[in-house]
Amino acid sequence: MACPFIDEVVDEGAIVLRRAFQGERTFRDRSDPLAFNDSYLYERYRFSRDGIAYICRLLNPYIANNTRRNRALTVPQTVCIALRFFASGTFLYTVGDAENISKASVCRSVRTVYLSLKRLLNVFVTFPGHKAIRTIKHAFYGIAGFPNVIGALDCTHVRIKCPSGPHEADFVNRKSVHSINVQMISDADCIITNVEAKWPGSVHDSRIFRASSLYQQLARGEFSGVLLGDKGYPCLPYLLTPYQEPQTEGQHCYNIAHARTRGRIEMAFGLIKSRFQCLKHLRVTPPRACDIVVACVVLHNIACLRRERQPRIVEEEDWGNEAVLEENETGRLIRDTYANNYFA
């Protein structure tokens, strides 16, 4: 004889199960990273849903898998795997555990994405910038009243693992750690307009600048305006540095305005390294480290241009750049003209 109480419980259980299965259809698809909200995505990938979708459209021609395999990674999956590595700076197997894929797949995805981003370098990183040069100068002038500035120049070190081979000592910098020395120029909005990522950590900032193609262009007068650099560079007609020992009030005011205006490149370094924690220490070979730095610069510019949420800026480490004693006579005269005409 059937028990009415048991039948009632069974019926209620069936209703609960039926509701559970119906509700399961609303669950987010974990194979689709874009199924989550912007806060979730930003914490893990440093970009909003729209930002990630934009990057996917940019890279789709380079990273789409032309295969009939059922479990091939999609473009959003590949992009988000690389973004998670760039954002966290953790080990590849940790990224693989978080994304539920193998370490080998993480390695392939990261390499595919940073090489694809490198191909877009000249699109997103252009000197003196994407805006009119008059607009660039006006933005710098609004910081501290320093006229005719088209860029703030400096170098930053990116730690790497100890490289093998006979040139290992070349990568040891002044702080006795292995690194690559990366030169960058930024505009007043902390957007990178020039990057040189190919030099060992032992190379001085001024040598990197003199060996760059931009140095030759500036020397030929191809750009109307000046760069601002720190004491690690010689004072040149197109690269103004601070006074080592300011004597007059104009020179003191010049140094103050110079420091405030040039500070935008320091802010840019802080933004990039806070947004992409992998740049705190890259456990890869020097050539791959250089490619990853370039990829992060491209992503940084994309984030700035799309006005993505900014991370909390961590102060850039002082790498103790050695001062350059020799100075160009014409450069010193032009610096004196600035100090006397604009800051006296």
Side-chain angles (χ1 to χ4, degrees):
M1 180 177 180
C3 178
F5 175 76
I6 294 178
D7 291 341
E8 183 179 353
V9 171
V10 171
D11 291 341
E12 288 182 357
I15 292 173
V16 170
L17 288 173
R18 185 162 55 250
R19 288 176 178 174
F21 282 118
Q22 289 174 350
E24 187 178 7
R25 297 173 187 171
T26 64
F27 289 172
R28 299 179 188 131
D29 183 4
R30 291 186 177 272
S31 66
D32 180 14
L34 303 183
F36 299 90
N37 59 45
D38 283 349
S39 296
Y40 178 96
L41 295 174
Y42 180 81
E43 289 176 359
R44 290 156 179 80
Y45 309 119
R46 295 297 188 267
F47 282 90
S48 63
R49 181 189 291 107
D50 290 341
I52 295 174
Y54 175 75
I55 296 171
C56 290
R57 290 194 298 271
L58 284 175
L59 302 185
N60 184 72
Y62 310 116
I63 67 176
N65 286 314
N66 296 321
T67 177
R68 296 179 180 273
R69 291 176 56 192
N70 292 333
R71 297 182 181 273
L73 292 176
T74 64
V75 171
Q77 285 177 313
T78 303
V79 168
C80 285
I81 290 168
L83 290 179
R84 191 157 197 157
F85 171 76
F86 298 149
S88 64
T90 188
F91 292 98
L92 294 177
Y93 66 79
T94 306
V95 176
D97 291 344
E99 299 291 336
N100 198 27
I101 61 173
S102 67
K103 177 183 174 181
S105 296
V106 173
C107 184
R108 286 193 297 268
S109 297
V110 171
R111 179 173 172 80
T112 300
V113 170
Y114 73 64
L115 289 178
S116 300
L117 287 167
K118 185 180 178 181
R119 300 174 69 169
L120 300 175
L121 175 64
N122 294 330
V123 176
F124 290 97
V125 181
T126 178
F127 186 83
H130 294 90
K131 300 177 182 179
I133 194 166
R134 182 177 179 181
T135 304
I136 295 171
K137 291 180 180 180
H138 181 75
F140 272 116
Y141 184 82
I143 299 173
F146 206 112
N148 206 34
V149 179
I150 58 176
L153 167 71
D154 203 359
C155 286
T156 185
H157 287 259
V158 176
R159 296 173 185 261
I160 61 173
K161 71 175 184 179
C162 177
S164 59
H167 302 292
E168 176 268 334
D170 294 341
F171 293 89
V172 180
N173 62 23
R174 288 170 55 83
K175 290 196 172 183
S176 300
V177 297
H178 294 88
S179 69
I180 56 173
N181 196 3
V182 183
Q183 175 186 284
M184 296 188 200
I185 299 174
S186 79
D187 65 8
D189 297 320
C190 297
I191 295 175
I192 303 303
T193 58
N194 180 265
V195 59
E196 292 280 342
K198 60 182 180 181
W199 293 91
S202 63
V203 179
H204 196 276
D205 294 5
S206 60
R207 181 186 171 191
I208 296 176
F209 178 63
R210 288 185 180 277
S212 66
S213 58
L214 182 62
Y215 173 85
Q216 303 297 332
Q217 292 177 286
L218 290 166
R220 292 193 297 265
E222 295 185 15
F223 301 103
S224 172
V226 296
L227 299 177
L228 299 185
D230 62 12
K231 63 182 181 180
Y233 298 93
C235 189
L236 301 169
Y238 40 83
L239 173 60
L240 299 183
T241 59
Y243 287 95
Q244 300 266 350
E245 298 178 357
Q247 303 295 326
T248 66
E249 181 179 356
Q251 292 177 358
H252 280 283
C253 293
Y254 167 94
N255 273 10
I256 293 173
H258 184 284
R260 289 182 58 192
T261 308
R262 197 193 67 83
R264 290 309 165 105
I265 184 61
E266 303 291 348
M267 291 176 60
F269 288 155
L271 275 172
I272 294 174
K273 291 188 176 182
S274 298
R275 180 172 274 134
F276 304 114
Q277 297 285 321
C278 69
L279 298 183
K280 298 293 181 66
H281 188 186
L282 287 171
R283 305 173 185 87
V284 295
T285 61
R288 292 193 176 189
C290 294
D291 290 341
I292 291 174
V293 169
V294 169
C296 289
V297 168
V298 173
L299 289 171
H300 166 78
N301 280 5
I302 291 174
C304 290
L305 293 171
R306 294 185 57 85
R307 300 187 183 277
E308 295 283 343
R309 188 193 314 176
Q310 291 188 353
R312 184 177 63 87
I313 300 178
V314 178
E315 186 177 354
E316 167 70 355
E317 183 177 356
D318 182 11
W319 292 98
N321 197 27
E322 185 179 2
V324 174
L325 299 180
E326 76 274 6
E327 290 186 340
N328 181 278
E329 179 67 23
T330 306
R332 284 191 287 118
L333 291 175
I334 293 177
R335 181 175 62 186
D336 291 340
T337 301
Y338 274 76
N340 295 330
N341 293 348
Y342 300 107
F343 302 103

